[in-house]
Amino acid sequence: MINLNAISLVYQKELKALFKSSLIYIVASLFCIISGWLFYNYLISAQEFTNRTIDQLVIAPLYGNINFLFLVFSPLLTMNSFAEERKNHTLDLLLTSDLTEMDIILGKLLGMMTGVCFLLLLTLIFPITLSLSGHGNWPVILSNYLGIFFCTFCYLSVGVFASSLTENQIVSSLLGFSILMAVLLMAASGGITKNYIVGQIFSYLSTPFHFEALSRGSIRSYDFIYFLSFSGIFIYLTFIKLISRKW
Amino acid sequence: MNQSLALQVKNLHKEYPGVEVIKNISFDVKKNNIHAFLGPNGAGKSTTMRIISGLLPASSGEIFVNDKLIDTNPAYCHQNIGFLPENLPLYQDMSVEEYLVFVRNIHTIKTHDKTIDFETIIKRCGLDKVRNKLIRKLSKGYKQRVGIAQTLSYDADLIILDEPLVGLDPNAISEIRELILDLKERHTVLLSTHQLHEVDLLCDEITIINNGKILINAKKGELELEKYFKENVH
Ligand SMILES: Nc1ncnc2c1ncn2[C@@H]1O[C@H](COP(=O)(O)OP(=O)(O)O)[C@@H](O)[C@H]1O
Ligand SMILES: [Mg+2]
């Protein structure tokens, strides 16, 4: 059912469009400024503590915040994806071709994921700096990257879904952001509720709960099951939205 | 079976919740003809064309393209129908050539047929001078040509053009008209319009639709269009 050839045609188109647009560069510069500033601050404040490690003082909060930045920027990266195809009527072109709805969705998501990897590459400067001064704990750092990668894949699939619902880019990014916020707030509700089981369910459903384990360097298979089912659900919803024109 | 027909529409019916938009229409399009689908705004031309090209489902009825039922042969239809929707489906940030190559590629995933003579298409559509320009920088007339070139880029048999002459200046109209007349040699063209005089200049056969019903099918010259329109179309 999945045709790599077809996906790669959409992927290449998306990638070209992404790196031709100014959006990715604006996001990249904002992203660098904010994360650089955070890194610098965590380093400075780390000097005041002597009883804790760099892992706890710099790496964990830094990557936690980078993950949050991706949550904020993802709806911006995806707001164009289907909204623009609708506005320019090019969705008609794709849907009357050999491409299937799934080819289109996956090609777009992978294109966006490549953009995200580009942003992540820029952040490699932080662990490199750390390891030059002898503080690079690479297993934990890599597990953080793994966590951000999978979390962002989830954020992007939400964003792509939001974009498939409307022609309007602003509405699309606000909608994507709201869904992500709701998922994030589930973690908070999980902490508040007195009922243990309900609390556990809420935490399990929220992304931060799963990122947190990875950010400590603990790799548990059920976190990946969560990430894949989370993004799978939103990919499927987008698919339903696209084929619903046939009903 | 009828070898000479490129398109057969049989008892096509389409309704949206509470409204019947297409009411049991039937008509045929002969091979290598230019066939006009004529009717006032809101008659149901675009809806019919979107159903033929597989973008919309019909409520009931059958459509055959080269004797193949479209519902059971979607891939065949994707390869053998070139569709230009009412709103041009253009990627504004691609160059003309990049765009045409992309359209060809997404239509030839299954056939792997990359032998189409691109140069001829670009020349025929008068796009030689602008082939490396971004689509967003083109005039309306050139954008329309790119839209038509797109339908030719994978060598489809049946070319469906929804209002290809709307919103163009007289010069552009006569150029696009020449282009469409030129398509007849290799393709069958179904084009919708609400402009009576264009039908006389372009088409071999006419199907008139009004309020979702077919009023008449006629050959060119069989019908006094203007008189007929005054008396029957409200
Ligand atoms: N999604 C829809 N829901 C309800 N009615 C629709 C929808 N799309 C089109 N129509 C109606 O169908 C009729 C035919 O439209 P259309 O095929 O665009 O006409 P034409 O192309 O001949 O101008 C119009 O009256 C229009 O209002
Ligand atoms: Mg129309």
Side-chain angles (χ1 to χ4, degrees):
Chain A
M1 188 189 125
I2 285 176
N3 182 340
L4 286 182
N5 215 338
I7 294 175
S8 96
L9 285 174
V10 181
Y11 171 76
Q12 285 167 28
K13 166 185 97 67
E14 287 298 310
L15 207 59
K16 264 192 217 160
L18 185 66
F19 283 98
K20 254 194 222 168
S21 76
S22 46
L23 184 69
I24 184 82
Y25 301 105
I26 295 172
V27 169
S29 13
L30 274 176
F31 181 77
C32 285
I33 292 169
I34 300 174
S35 58
W37 181 79
L38 287 171
F39 179 64
Y40 177 75
N41 274 282
Y42 289 130
L43 266 191
I44 297 293
S45 59
Q47 292 174 336
E48 294 165 19
F49 297 89
T50 45
N51 56 344
R52 294 165 79 184
T53 62
I54 288 285
D55 285 4
Q56 291 167 325
L57 291 171
V58 180
I59 295 179
L62 177 69
Y63 285 105
N65 278 303
I66 288 181
N67 188 28
F68 183 72
L69 283 181
F70 274 113
L71 186 145
V72 176
F73 286 135
S74 291
L76 292 179
L77 285 177
T78 52
M79 68 182 178
N80 279 333
S81 52
F82 279 103
E84 188 143 297
E85 303 269 8
R86 269 174 207 282
K87 211 175 71 194
N88 288 334
H89 310 285
T90 43
L91 198 55
D92 289 348
L93 190 76
L94 301 180
L95 293 174
T96 50
S97 75
D98 285 346
L99 300 170
T100 64
E101 286 81 359
M102 205 41 109
D103 296 334
I104 301 171
I105 299 170
L106 293 180
K108 279 179 178 293
L109 264 176
L110 293 180
M112 232 79 75
M113 242 4 246
T114 311
V116 165
C117 289
F118 163 69
L119 296 181
L120 279 179
L121 226 64
L122 298 174
T123 67
L124 276 178
I125 183 82
F126 306 135
I128 290 174
T129 317
L130 282 180
S131 67
L132 286 181
S133 56
H135 289 290
N137 185 350
W138 283 100
V140 170
I141 290 166
L142 287 181
S143 146
N144 268 288
Y145 275 109
L146 205 60
I148 293 179
F149 183 89
F150 277 95
C151 280
T152 310
F153 192 67
C154 294
Y155 306 152
L156 291 178
S157 46
V158 169
V160 166
F161 169 64
S163 175
S164 76
L165 296 179
T166 165
E167 278 184 24
N168 186 317
Q169 298 167 354
I170 310 283
V171 173
S172 147
S173 58
L174 282 179
L175 186 64
F177 191 65
S178 316
I179 299 175
L180 289 173
M181 268 311 182
V183 174
L184 200 65
L185 289 179
M186 271 202 266
S189 331
I192 299 167
T193 177
K194 288 203 182 89
N195 186 323
Y196 178 75
I197 304 276
V198 174
Q200 286 293 300
I201 292 176
F202 270 129
S203 327
Y204 183 82
L205 288 178
S206 71
T207 31
F209 174 74
H210 299 274
F211 176 70
E212 197 263 340
L214 277 168
S215 77
R216 280 185 282 108
S218 119
I219 296 191
R220 309 176 299 199
S221 58
Y222 73 84
D223 292 329
F224 294 99
I225 295 175
Y226 169 84
F227 290 134
L228 292 179
S229 19
F230 184 101
S231 46
I233 287 171
F234 281 94
I235 290 172
Y236 186 66
L237 286 175
T238 315
F239 176 73
I240 297 278
K241 169 62 199 161
L242 286 188
I243 60 166
S244 68
R245 74 185 198 284
K246 292 186 183 160
W247 298 342
Chain B
M1 287 285 271
N2 194 332
Q3 293 291 333
S4 64
L5 295 180
L7 173 72
Q8 292 161 270
V9 175
K10 291 184 176 165
N11 301 319
L12 179 69
H13 196 80
K14 173 76 184 172
E15 52 187 50
Y16 288 109
V19 258
E20 286 184 306
V21 177
I22 307 290
K23 299 162 189 161
N24 265 313
I25 66 170
S26 302
F27 65 95
D28 297 331
V29 175
K30 295 199 183 75
K31 277 188 182 155
N32 296 85
N33 261 6
I34 298 183
H35 194 112
F37 200 37
L38 180 68
N41 283 326
K45 304 182 294 293
S46 297
T47 308
T48 309
M49 291 179 145
R50 291 174 78 81
I51 294 173
I52 297 171
S53 52
L55 279 171
L56 275 179
S59 303
S60 66
E62 288 175 324
I63 293 169
F64 296 89
V65 172
N66 292 340
D67 279 323
K68 292 207 166 49
L69 189 63
I70 60 164
D71 300 323
T72 50
N73 300 287
Y76 180 84
C77 293
H78 290 156
Q79 287 147 21
N80 287 290
I81 299 178
F83 179 44
L84 179 66
E86 202 165 13
N87 301 300
L88 298 179
L90 301 176
Y91 286 109
Q92 305 289 340
D93 288 319
M94 286 188 184
S95 74
V96 171
E97 196 167 345
E98 207 181 340
Y99 174 74
L100 294 177
V101 169
F102 177 71
V103 176
R104 185 211 40 203
N105 286 346
I106 60 175
H107 277 92
T108 50
I109 295 169
K110 302 211 170 91
T111 55
H112 304 286
D113 178 9
K114 308 267 152 88
T115 56
I116 294 125
D117 187 0
F118 246 79
E119 291 308 312
T120 317
I121 293 171
I122 287 181
K123 288 221 178 67
R124 243 161 102 198
C125 299
L127 293 169
D128 220 5
K129 270 187 296 180
V130 298
R131 62 195 296 164
N132 294 318
K133 267 201 177 174
L134 288 187
I135 291 178
R136 73 162 69 256
K137 298 200 172 141
L138 301 181
S139 66
K140 178 83 174 66
Y142 270 105
K143 283 184 180 166
Q144 195 76 32
R145 291 180 197 209
V146 177
I148 295 176
Q150 166 266 122
T151 66
L152 304 175
S153 67
Y154 44 97
D155 214 19
D157 296 332
L158 177 63
I159 306 294
I160 300 179
L161 307 171
D162 197 353
E163 309 258 9
L165 299 168
V166 161
L168 299 178
D169 62 58
N171 270 337
I173 287 188
S174 69
E175 282 168 13
I176 302 271
R177 191 191 297 132
E178 289 306 311
L179 174 57
I180 295 173
L181 282 171
D182 193 39
L183 296 182
K184 214 162 85 162
E185 263 175 52
R186 294 193 58 175
H187 309 271
T188 307
V189 181
L190 173 66
L191 70 88
S192 75
T193 176
H194 58 260
Q195 294 157 305
L196 295 182
H197 64 281
E198 287 305 334
V199 175
D200 272 334
L201 292 169
L202 265 172
C203 302
D204 305 307
E205 291 211 27
I206 309 152
T207 296
I208 299 181
I209 180 172
N210 188 29
N211 271 325
K213 283 192 210 125
I214 301 275
L215 294 182
I216 193 168
N217 279 302
K219 285 207 173 62
K220 179 178 182 166
E222 273 181 4
L223 196 68
E224 275 187 63
L225 267 182
E226 221 144 317
K227 187 158 159 260
Y228 185 88
F229 236 68
K230 265 202 199 110
E231 287 167 3
N232 294 286
V233 177
H234 308 289

